[in-house]
Amino acid sequence: MDPDRLLQSARQRLAWRRALQAGEAAALWLLLSALGAQLGTLAFPYSVRLDWAFLAVAAGAGTVALATRLLVRPTTTETAHWLDRRCALQDRMATYVAVRGAAPSRLLGHFLRDVQRAAAEVRLREAVPLRPARWRAVLGLAACVVAWDLLVSGSTLPNTPARRVAEVVRQEGRRLQDLAREWEREARGRGWREALWSARNVRQAAASLASPRATAELARRQLARLAAEVGAARAEVRARAQDQGALPGPEGPQLHPRAARALERELAGLGRALEEVPLSGEQAERVLRALNRLESTSPLRPQSPAQAALREARRRLRAQDRAGAREAVRRAEEAFRELARLLEEEGMLAKQRQEVEASSLSIAGALQGAADPEAAQERPIRYPNMPRNRPGTAGDRDDKDGEEWSWEGPQYGLQPGAGRVPEKVGPPTPRLQAQRRPEHLPGQPGEGKVYTGHVRAPAAGGEPRTRMAGLPARLVRQVDEVLRAQRVPAPYRDWVRHYFAELAESAP
Amino acid sequence: MDVQEFQSLYQRIRQELGRVVVGHDEVVEGVLLAVFCGGHVLLEGVPGVGKTLLVKALARVLELKFSRIQFTPDLMPADVVGTNVLVQDPDGRRSLAFQPGPVFSQIVLADEINRATPKTQSALLEAMQEYAVTVAGVSYPLERPFFVLATQNPIEMEGTYPLPEAQLDRFLFKLRVPFPDTESVVEILERTTGSRVPEAQPVADAQTVLRMQALVREVLAAPHVQTYVARLVEATHPQGPRPARAARRWVRYGASPRGAQALLLAAKARALVHGRAHASVEDVRAVALPALRHRLLLNFEADAEGVEADQVVRDVVEEVPEVAAASAGP
């Protein structure tokens, strides 16, 4: 090969080689950084996503390689030196570059022939190999990153923020597992297909959260996906409820399931009334009025099957067609029953989503606390402290046995080591001024119908029942450890916290 | 003369020398490089290792006039360069006539040069540098080519006069003649104790040597090679801008620009010897040790710790990178 052509070709290859080497070095450093970041997950609550890590490595290496190719170009002299060194040309090419335009020497002809001969023997691919030299190291590091993700990811060191967050994740996983089992049982009993499917999903996701290798990031991703799935199922059920005539509201259908059940029961009564023989004119008029009222007051769309059935029943009744009216009322009852079922299922799905989101928020809170440990140490946690002996407050007394109720609950709450434990623990929950309806119907399991729901009413007036007090985070952790280790029953937990709060206040 | 002819001649010279001198390949090559460069050589070695034999054989192979001066403490400068003596012509008139000394030769063996006084040693200075001798105000040119091959014994230092730096600098190479290995000694015994002692035959003459010397100067040296030579010499100076670590620690004064000249010229000669028309960094490295070892003046610390100039030169060569090597990459 002609020395000039050889130099030109070698220069191009050298530029590519340098670009590849730069990219390789960048990949090496980025993979090392990824491995370091993975190592950091042992102590700090963050996660390294493998796909993002490799994407960053590829992007970084590619960018560096491209920039190097565009910006760094070897000179002819550098290329000549490269060839001299790689091919043991003993400075022939460098000398050739230097003496090309120099004054002729007696030995120049001999030298040029010598260079031609040497250049002809150069194998360019061997002289300027493009294969990076450290590709084994790059592959090895990549394998380490993958292996870490598969084998070690999720492990944490004791007494580190990462371990605390992991414990929160596992707690939430176990909590959701318990809830999901209940939801599954209830949905199976009631034949709620969407809710059952959703509860199973929640249980499976919760099981992975409760595993020892679950990471906060994975948990949040899973919970977000779960919330979306539950939301989708809920939307489907809601759409079916709306097909049944329920009017859409800002937070769901306007019609409450229990209202639908009440309407269903009322229609059942009307149906029974229509079966009575003979039906007096006054009774018929009463039924007609009831149908009127139901049609006008029920929050359903006019085109809904239930409303149409009601209208049909009214028309038949006016036409003295009692059998037709009874059939129409039965159809309306069926429609309301289906509507109630859909609304209840929708309520169950709403609850599932709420719990999933609550878990996600709890994990996010743990992550936030771990991200700012100093603030978590210094910032006093506001914890509700029970007010003591507030006589005269409505609902704060238990007048059942004539004793004045004390906010102190178990007497050992004030003075460590002294006091008595009454049979009844703690004050009764102050009831809101609203009518209560039994949530469970009597009957054998599987036969009756269970109503669940929330009673919404205005909050009780007056001063707040709790006052807020600042407690150091250390004390709160101490309390939490005691509660976890001693398996304190739920009714007593507030009092245990109160006990420690008193200890903290009395300490100098 | 071209490169092939030079190389062929060199091989023949080596071959003839090899008939007489056993082993010592590096020394023989060093001496020949110095001859092709027109430089002088200081040979250092214990007695009886073949220094004088090498020089004699060289003179015979190159068919050059040879003279030997045994330096002793009572040797006078006139004994070296010659003197004016009173002569009487056939007419009975008396006049002063110059009687050339042994330096008027083409290969001068200055045996045990460190045994003579500095005054006598300095008598060689002008001859070595100027290729001329001045006696009583009259300058007498020496016949070219002219080489001084001086020897000195490193073990008997008592009563000697170490060569001054100025004179050391005039030698192109300082070569150490080691004791031959067992095989070489056996070979020497076989050759020299039999009935027929081999003799070297002439393969060149003075004119050929001069042409070879001229060809050496035609060898191409790229700028990066010259810069490398300059940096190498610069690195031997502890007060210089880029001293090598070894130089900073052990050297009092580094090599002179004459040392740089010697390096490059010897590198060129080596390139020709290897059939190349251009000098390379490798050539420079190969000749750095004999060309620089006698040009470094070591400090007291080096003397105290027994560090030799050879080690310093090796460290310097190892430390100084090629000019474009750093940017060229591995």
Side-chain angles (χ1 to χ4, degrees), chain A residues 395-414:
Chain A
D396 287 348
R397 295 165 182 271
D398 185 0
D399 296 328
K400 200 172 184 179
D401 51 6
E403 287 183 17
E404 186 178 272
W405 176 80
S406 168
W407 271 108
E408 290 149 4
Q411 294 304 309
Y412 58 80
L414 290 178

Side-chain angles (χ1 to χ4, degrees), chain A residues 14 17-18 21 77-79 81-82 84-86 89-92 94-95 98-99 103-108 110-111 113-114 117, chain B residues 1-4 211 214-215 218-225 272 275-282 322 324-325 327-330:
Chain A
L14 194 56
R17 179 186 162 85
R18 287 184 178 177
Q21 277 186 335
T77 307
E78 283 174 350
T79 310
H81 277 287
W82 172 274
D84 286 338
R85 290 163 65 85
R86 288 284 302 190
L89 295 180
Q90 293 179 312
D91 290 342
R92 281 183 175 85
T95 307
V99 304
S105 160
R106 195 149 61 94
L107 296 178
L108 190 59
H110 179 275
F111 172 70
R113 285 192 299 277
D114 187 29
R117 197 165 44 247
Chain B
M1 178 175 283
D2 59 7
V3 178
Q4 280 87 1
R211 286 207 306 276
L215 194 67
E218 294 284 337
V219 171
L220 301 166
H224 75 274
V225 177
L272 273 182
R276 283 182 278 111
H278 71 284
S280 68
V281 171
E282 186 190 327
E322 286 184 46
S327 57

Side-chain angles (χ1 to χ4, degrees), chain A residues 15 17 43 222 255 272-274 314 344-345 348 373 386 445 448:
Chain A
R17 179 186 162 85
Q222 279 194 336
L255 186 63
R272 281 194 300 274
L274 286 173
R314 208 149 40 89
E344 285 166 354
E345 189 174 5
M348 160 70 85
M386 294 291 185

